[in-house]
Amino acid sequence: MGDFLVKYLFLYVYLILRSSSFFFSESSNLSPSCKLRRQFHLNGMHKAGDVILGGLVNLTHVADKMNKTLSYILVVNSDTLCVSFDPPGFRHAMTMAFTIDEINKNSNLLPNVTLGYSLYDNCATLGIGFSAALSLASGQEEQFLLQENCLGTPPVMGIVGDPFSTFSIATSNVLGLFKLPIVSLVSLSYCVLFNDRQRFPSFFRTIPSDAFQVRAMIQILKHFDWTWVGLLVSDDDYGLHAARSFQFDLAQSGGGCLAYSEILPWGNDPNEYKRIVDVMTKSTARVIIVFAHQMQMTQLMKEVVRQNVTGLQWIASEAWTLVEGLHTTAFMPYLAGTLGIAIRCGKIPGLREFLLRIHPDQHHMILNAFQMRQFWEFTFQCRFAPPPAGWVESGGALCTGQENLVNVETDYLDASELRPEYNIYKAVYALAYALNDMLLCIPGKGPFRGQSCATLQRLDPWQLMYYLEKVNFTTPNGDQVSFDENGEALPIYDVMNWLQLPDGRTKVQNVGEVKKSVSKGEQLTIDEDKIFWNFELQEPPRSVCSESCPPGTRMARKRGQPICCFDCIPCSEGKVSNATDSLECTSCPEDFWSSPQRDHCVPKKTEFLSYHEPLGICLTTASLLGTFVCAVVLGIFTYHRSTPIVRANNSELSFLLLVSLKLCFLCSLLFIGHPKLWTCQLRHAAFGISFVLCVSCILVKTMVVLAVFKASKPGGGASLKWFGAMQQRGTIMVLTSIQAAICTAWLVSASPAPYKNTQYHNDKIVYECVVGSTVGFAVLLGYIGLLATLSFLLAFLARNLPDNFNEAKLITFSMLIFCAVWVAFVPAYVNSPGKYADAVEVFAILASSFGLLVALFGPKCYIILLRPERNTKKAIMDRFPINYHFNFLLASMPSYDFIIIFKINLSLTNLGKHLGIGLCTLEN
């Protein structure tokens, strides 16, 4: 439609210029000449001044030429009559006249310059409106003509108007070629096409474009969380452009989805309206946005009433928000509660008083009194003489000119809702401020070529446009007026609400505003307490395709449906969403895990073998118990150290063995508690050295027993020289030193260290000590196993030696327990995760330590404490056969005592020499 309009426009311009010789004389050989060749017959109002501002307003409507009910008829051409008076258009014209009059009285704005105006009626017709625009640009009236050479002050400095989008496109396409500023003023000139500055370089407007109206509606949707809406638009440029803009901005903002989008047809099409209402009824969307005009809304609401479609929240575009024709008793049960966008309402002080002073005879203010007489006849329902035929006979009154406007109730005088008028007021002031800034230019510091300034005597329209682009002022209502790069003033809309009063009347009340400021951007302000909701609960409806996903879930789109239709999927373990309608679940940091509700991350539980848990308590208790038992046994042996049972078992090695067992019990405590660097390094070293010391003592005891009994045989005395007191101590020291060296090498090369293990459990941090070097750990255990195996084998060989209390049997049994525990330890340790590996190792330490303690010292303590009659020399020696000839010797040494029972093949002197002992004869 727009392309067709442009083609039609240029054809129309061509015909006008060719037929009227509008800009050049036919005999001038293309030399400039501004002689008037032809005039349009246009309806207008004019007032002289130093500078003229043009205006295009809608004073009348087109009627058929045969309809001559009014006394004044303006013939525009052979087919058209402009006869139907339009009161709102007349008030618009009077607002422009008032604003110019107010500016002329302001000494601070345009001093020494008087503004005038030239207003033309577009008769709500494209051709007439376009002719009026060309007349303003060329100076059709004689007093506004340029000089002979087409230089001088232009006929008008700028044009305020046209009130229709289609007309504005036509006039701006042509007048933009001459850079003549046009400031649009009222509700229908907000087509987004005007943002194209290449096509409309001189077009400005004081009301928001469709684009901002769309964004304002999206702001309302977001405010009430309406994400599932229906869209109805009129079948014209206004509706179709709004639909495209709305769908694009809605998708960009992510504020919602369209459940459906339908085009309302022109004219009466019951089947199509029935189909559209059926779509509305079947949809789950409870909010409907309508970009349409009164005619389409009337047809739509008739079908809504017929089908009794209730429970809908209507959002009205500016085109029908304030239309009173929809406030009917039939429609209001359905349309009550409607929220709508309306042009900003502002107060203009003094306008009402100015309107009351209008009189048909005030020719000094308005040069053409035609509209004045039309207004007077319309307001007072009378006719000036001569009246139309039959007027008096039918009882019609004659106008005298003495009627008083104060006594008449008319919307013309209502200054409480000034919306289009307020934008006219801002448009005129914008041109005045731009002109004032231009006149304040200092020669030599101007913005034009050579730093020159523009003057009223030689002014090109584009020079005024330069200042209009930079104008910035504030109205008495506090609204800032400036133009952006698209020629659009800072947008502002009022948010209106339809309220049905108890008496049946409808009140459209202001409940908020949406505006854009330079510093804060777009802002929506709504007073929800003032809003009337047409629902039982008196609260905003819910209009969503899917209910919001709570924290802890994410949205999963339903295939084949808009993004607003989704399922709520719980976040997986380790991921959270802490906001409503989250698109994705985010992973928790390494040391955190998702809460049970999956709505926030919580620190992971820490796991280690703790002193406070039952397993840790049991192992700690067992460790301390073993340490205590070792101390008790050591005390018993110390107290009974002179008894035969203690002296017969090599008391020095027994004491050292008890100390090493105590260390074994205590080293298990290093495996319990929060792992630290020093505990990780010390636990295995202490464990390895303690057990090597323990097993070394057992090994030496076993070797001594074997050596003594071997020495009792003929020729066996030489072996005793290797098992003296110093050799025994040295052997234990060497064997223990080897383990110490292994531990030192391990700690230096690859020291055990604390480690946070997150592999065992996703929701836990297992604190453990990594061994650092598996080889070092294996060598440590292997060395202990080697000594234990050797002790076991030697003790097994000596298990049948004659003795009433054979130590070799006890060592064999204890080593059997020890080896069994540690052989079972290896697979259990490898397959136990986290703290359970430490528990297995502690259990092995405690089990083997208790095994040694009980097996080696249990029988001795039993005899010492419970069977003292067996703790005698006789009881110990009764085991030997009587057919042997024995001497019984008691060997007494500083470090340990033991009973050696053997057949004397060596002299007592040599025996004492080899064993390093003093001999005494045992009495029976």
Side-chain angles (χ1 to χ4, degrees):
M1 181 176 180
D3 293 338
F4 172 77
L5 179 62
V6 173
K7 294 178 181 178
Y8 166 77
L9 168 66
F10 279 103
L11 177 62
Y12 188 81
V13 173
Y14 171 76
L15 294 175
I16 291 176
L17 297 179
R18 183 169 183 176
S19 63
S20 63
S21 301
F22 203 65
F23 294 108
F24 300 101
S25 171
E26 294 176 356
S27 59
S28 61
N29 295 325
L30 298 180
S31 61
S33 175
C34 292
K35 293 180 180 180
L36 185 64
R37 312 300 286 176
R38 186 174 299 177
Q39 288 183 320
F40 294 115
H41 298 285
L42 299 172
N43 186 17
M45 305 189 314
H46 310 280
K47 183 176 181 179
D50 299 328
V51 177
I52 304 300
L53 299 182
L56 296 174
V57 292
N58 181 27
L59 295 174
T60 56
H61 295 293
V62 174
D64 188 86
K65 184 166 64 176
M66 300 304 295
N67 185 0
K68 300 181 181 180
T69 57
L70 297 180
S71 58
Y72 289 92
I73 299 175
L74 176 64
V75 179
V76 178
N77 55 45
S78 59
D79 299 321
T80 327
L81 299 173
C82 295
V83 296
S84 182
F85 181 71
D86 185 61
F90 184 76
R91 187 166 67 172
H92 299 166
M94 292 301 100
T95 301
M96 185 170 177
F98 164 78
T99 306
I100 291 176
D101 183 64
E102 184 180 78
I103 293 172
N104 288 332
K105 294 177 181 179
N106 187 349
S107 59
N108 296 322
L109 185 61
L110 292 177
N112 303 322
V113 176
T114 301
L115 290 181
Y117 55 80
S118 181
L119 307 180
Y120 282 120
D121 178 18
N122 65 14
C123 198
T125 305
L126 176 59
I128 297 175
F130 188 75
S131 300
L134 291 179
S135 297
L136 290 173
S138 64
Q140 180 171 329
E141 305 298 331
E142 291 290 348
Q143 65 270 27
F144 298 140
L145 282 178
L146 296 172
Q147 302 172 9
E148 181 68 19
N149 58 0
C150 293
L151 300 177
T153 303
V156 294
M157 291 292 188
I159 298 176
V160 178
D162 191 296
F164 299 105
S165 293
T166 304
F167 297 5
S168 295
I169 292 174
T171 56
S172 299
N173 264 307
V174 175
L175 298 186
L177 300 175
F178 306 102
K179 302 297 179 65
L180 180 64
I182 302 175
V183 184
S184 181
L185 48 100
V186 288
S187 60
L188 296 181
S189 276
Y190 42 40
C191 183
V192 74
L193 290 174
F194 291 114
N195 287 343
D196 185 356
R197 299 306 281 175
Q198 296 294 327
R199 184 174 174 184
F200 306 103
S202 62
F203 184 86
F204 298 83
R205 53 185 160 199
T206 56
I207 64 171
S209 66
D210 285 345
F212 185 74
Q213 181 178 187
V214 166
R215 293 199 299 272
M217 288 186 172
I218 293 177
Q219 292 268 18
I220 295 176
L221 296 181
K222 286 185 176 182
H223 180 82
F224 293 107
D225 294 326
W226 293 330
T227 59
W228 190 236
V229 298
L231 177 64
L232 305 178
V233 298
S234 58
D235 190 12
D236 56 7
D237 283 345
Y238 165 66
L240 298 178
H241 281 295
R244 285 193 291 269
S245 179
F246 186 86
Q247 293 182 50
F248 177 79
D249 288 351
L250 191 64
Q252 289 294 105
S253 66
C257 304
L258 285 180
Y260 55 86
S261 178
E262 298 291 339
I263 299 176
L264 300 176
W266 288 96
N268 186 12
D269 189 349
N271 292 331
E272 181 65 10
Y273 278 104
K274 180 179 183 301
R275 184 192 68 80
I276 293 174
V277 174
D278 287 340
V279 172
M280 295 164 48
T281 304
K282 295 176 182 178
S283 174
T284 57
R286 298 294 87 196
V287 176
I288 301 177
I289 297 174
V290 185
F291 286 90
H293 306 285
Q294 180 179 355
M295 184 187 74
Q296 288 108 330
M297 280 301 301
T298 300
Q299 297 296 328
L300 176 67
M301 292 310 301
K302 287 180 180 179
E303 184 63 26
V304 169
V305 172
R306 191 186 70 81
Q307 296 191 28
N308 192 28
V309 181
T310 59
L312 298 178
Q313 176 63 48
W314 298 86
I315 307 293
S317 68
E318 193 279 332
W320 64 279
T321 294
L322 301 177
V323 173
E324 295 184 358
L326 296 173
H327 299 169
T328 64
T329 55
F331 294 165
M332 283 310 296
Y334 304 90
L335 287 178
T338 296
L339 291 174
I341 299 294
I343 297 173
R344 177 68 163 176
C345 178
K347 296 181 179 179
I348 305 178
L351 177 60
R352 174 178 170 82
E353 291 73 15
F354 179 84
L355 298 176
L356 289 174
R357 292 199 300 267
I358 292 177
H359 194 272
D361 296 331
Q362 287 180 315
H363 299 292
H364 66 281
M365 182 179 67
I366 302 175
L367 299 180
N368 191 334
F370 173 73
Q371 289 79 18
M372 289 298 305
R373 300 174 73 84
Q374 278 190 317
F375 163 70
W376 207 262
E377 289 182 345
F378 180 88
T379 302
F380 294 102
Q381 293 298 304
C382 61
R383 298 293 180 267
F384 282 99
W391 176 260
V392 177
E393 289 76 9
S394 62
L398 295 177
C399 298
T400 63
Q402 302 302 316
E403 292 84 3
N404 192 343
L405 289 173
V406 178
N407 300 326
V408 179
E409 291 186 5
T410 173
D411 292 339
Y412 165 76
L413 300 174
D414 184 9
S416 61
E417 291 289 327
L418 301 177
R419 298 183 186 277
E421 294 81 5
Y422 184 53
N423 284 281
I424 295 172
Y425 184 80
K426 292 192 292 185
V428 174
Y429 261 99
L431 289 169
Y433 273 103
L435 185 61
N436 185 73
D437 293 341
M438 184 188 73
L439 297 179
L440 293 176
C441 178
I442 301 175
K445 297 182 179 180
F448 307 119
R449 180 178 298 177
Q451 296 184 333
S452 61
C453 297
T455 62
L456 291 179
Q457 292 72 30
R458 295 180 62 87
L459 174 65
D460 289 326
W462 64 267
Q463 292 175 315
L464 180 62
M465 192 178 73
Y466 169 84
Y467 287 98
L468 188 59
E469 290 174 344
K470 301 182 180 302
V471 75
N472 192 337
F473 66 95
T474 303
T475 68
N477 294 296
D479 295 331
Q480 184 181 1
V481 179
S482 62
F483 298 101
D484 61 15
E485 65 277 4
N486 296 321
E488 182 179 339
L490 290 174
I492 183 169
Y493 274 119
D494 287 336
V495 180
M496 311 303 292
N497 178 233
W498 289 19
L499 172 63
Q500 190 172 21
L501 301 176
D503 58 4
R505 293 184 298 109
T506 300
K507 177 184 178 182
V508 181
Q509 59 180 351
N510 189 326
V511 295
E513 66 179 17
V514 55
K515 65 180 180 180
K516 181 179 181 180
S517 63
V518 176
S519 59
K520 299 181 179 179
E522 295 180 4
Q523 290 180 298
L524 172 67
T525 304
I526 289 185
D527 186 357
E528 294 190 35
D529 294 336
K530 294 175 61 177
I531 297 179
F532 170 75
W533 301 106
N534 193 25
F535 303 96
E536 293 182 1
L537 299 179
Q538 282 294 301
E539 61 183 22
R542 290 282 296 167
S543 186
V544 294
C545 181
S546 300
E547 290 296 330
S548 296
C549 290
T553 63
R554 63 175 179 86
M555 297 190 300
R557 286 187 57 183
K558 294 182 179 179
R559 182 173 297 181
Q561 298 190 30
I563 61 174
C564 295
C565 301
F566 49 83
D567 294 319
C568 296
I569 307 299
C571 294
S572 57
E573 289 187 349
K575 294 186 176 182
V576 298
S577 64
N578 55 9
T580 303
D581 291 337
S582 296
L583 296 177
E584 296 292 341
C585 296
T586 58
S587 298
C588 290
E590 181 180 4
D591 292 346
F592 290 81
W593 194 247
S594 55
S595 64
Q597 295 77 23
R598 306 288 198 273
D599 57 354
H600 67 283
C601 293
V602 295
K604 286 184 177 180
K605 295 179 180 178
T606 57
E607 182 178 274
F608 54 88
L609 191 57
S610 171
Y611 290 106
H612 304 291
E613 60 179 305
L615 181 58
I617 293 173
C618 291
L619 294 177
T620 302
T621 303
S623 175
L624 296 177
L625 177 62
T627 305
F628 175 74
V629 172
C630 284
V632 171
V633 172
L634 183 61
I636 293 173
F637 267 56
T638 302
Y639 183 78
H640 296 278
R641 63 185 177 274
S642 60
T643 62
I645 194 68
V646 174
R647 299 178 67 191
N649 283 277
N650 202 331
S651 60
E652 181 175 342
L653 287 180
S654 297
F655 291 151
L656 185 59
L657 180 59
L658 285 171
V659 172
S660 63
L661 283 176
K662 185 183 294 186
L663 294 177
C664 291
F665 281 114
L666 290 176
C667 76
S668 63
L669 298 177
L670 295 174
F671 292 84
I672 306 174
H674 196 293
K676 296 181 175 58
L677 180 60
W678 69 272
T679 58
C680 289
Q681 293 176 337
L682 185 59
R683 60 169 59 171
H684 289 105
F687 150 70
I689 294 173
S690 299
F691 267 88
V692 165
L693 178 61
C694 178
V695 176
S696 298
C697 292
I698 296 174
L699 178 62
V700 170
K701 289 186 70 172
T702 307
M703 294 172 66
V704 169
V705 171
L706 285 175
V708 169
F709 276 96
K710 185 177 181 181
S712 67
K713 297 179 181 181
S719 62
L720 291 176
K721 65 181 180 179
W722 299 105
F723 293 97
M726 294 303 297
Q727 288 82 356
Q728 295 175 33
R729 296 179 188 137
T731 302
I732 294 174
M733 183 177 296
V734 170
L735 294 177
T736 306
S737 298
I738 294 174
Q739 184 74 307
I742 294 174
C743 294
T744 302
W746 179 15
L747 295 178
V748 172
S749 61
S751 173
Y755 174 66
K756 293 192 300 184
N757 195 323
T758 59
Q759 303 302 317
Y760 295 137
H761 307 283
N762 290 328
D763 59 342
K764 294 179 182 179
I765 299 176
V766 178
Y767 286 95
E768 59 184 8
C769 289
V770 292
V771 295
S773 172
T774 306
V775 174
F777 187 46
V779 171
L780 181 144
L781 290 180
Y783 183 64
I784 297 175
L786 176 63
L787 296 181
T789 302
L790 183 58
S791 298
F792 172 74
L793 292 176
L794 293 178
F796 181 78
L797 294 175
R799 70 188 186 283
N800 292 323
L801 291 177
D803 188 1
N804 201 29
F805 189 83
N806 195 342
E807 181 78 2
K809 291 182 179 180
L810 300 180
I811 294 175
T812 302
F813 181 67
S814 65
M815 285 296 99
L816 182 62
I817 296 175
F818 185 89
C819 292
V821 168
W822 286 102
V823 168
F825 159 78
V826 175
Y829 181 84
V830 171
N831 292 282
S832 298
K835 67 178 183 180
Y836 297 104
D838 292 336
V840 167
E841 190 166 357
V842 172
F843 179 81
I845 293 172
L846 295 177
S848 57
S849 299
F850 273 112
L852 294 177
L853 179 64
V854 173
L856 292 177
F857 296 97
K860 300 178 181 65
C861 292
Y862 171 76
I863 292 175
I864 292 172
L865 299 177
L866 301 179
R867 302 294 298 274
E869 68 278 4
R870 295 178 57 182
N871 190 9
T872 62
K873 304 181 186 72
K874 184 177 184 303
I876 295 175
M877 295 184 294
D878 279 347
R879 172 69 181 242
F880 293 95
I882 59 174
N883 57 343
Y884 288 98
H885 177 70
F886 291 98
N887 288 326
F888 303 98
L889 303 174
L890 175 63
S892 178
M893 299 180 62
S895 300
Y896 52 85
D897 299 332
F898 58 92
I899 295 177
I900 302 175
I901 304 174
F902 64 101
K903 182 178 180 180
I904 300 178
N905 289 318
L906 296 175
S907 65
L908 295 179
T909 303
N910 290 336
L911 178 62
K913 178 179 178 182
H914 286 296
L915 297 179
I917 58 175
L919 301 179
C920 61
T921 302
L922 293 174
E923 297 179 356
N924 290 332

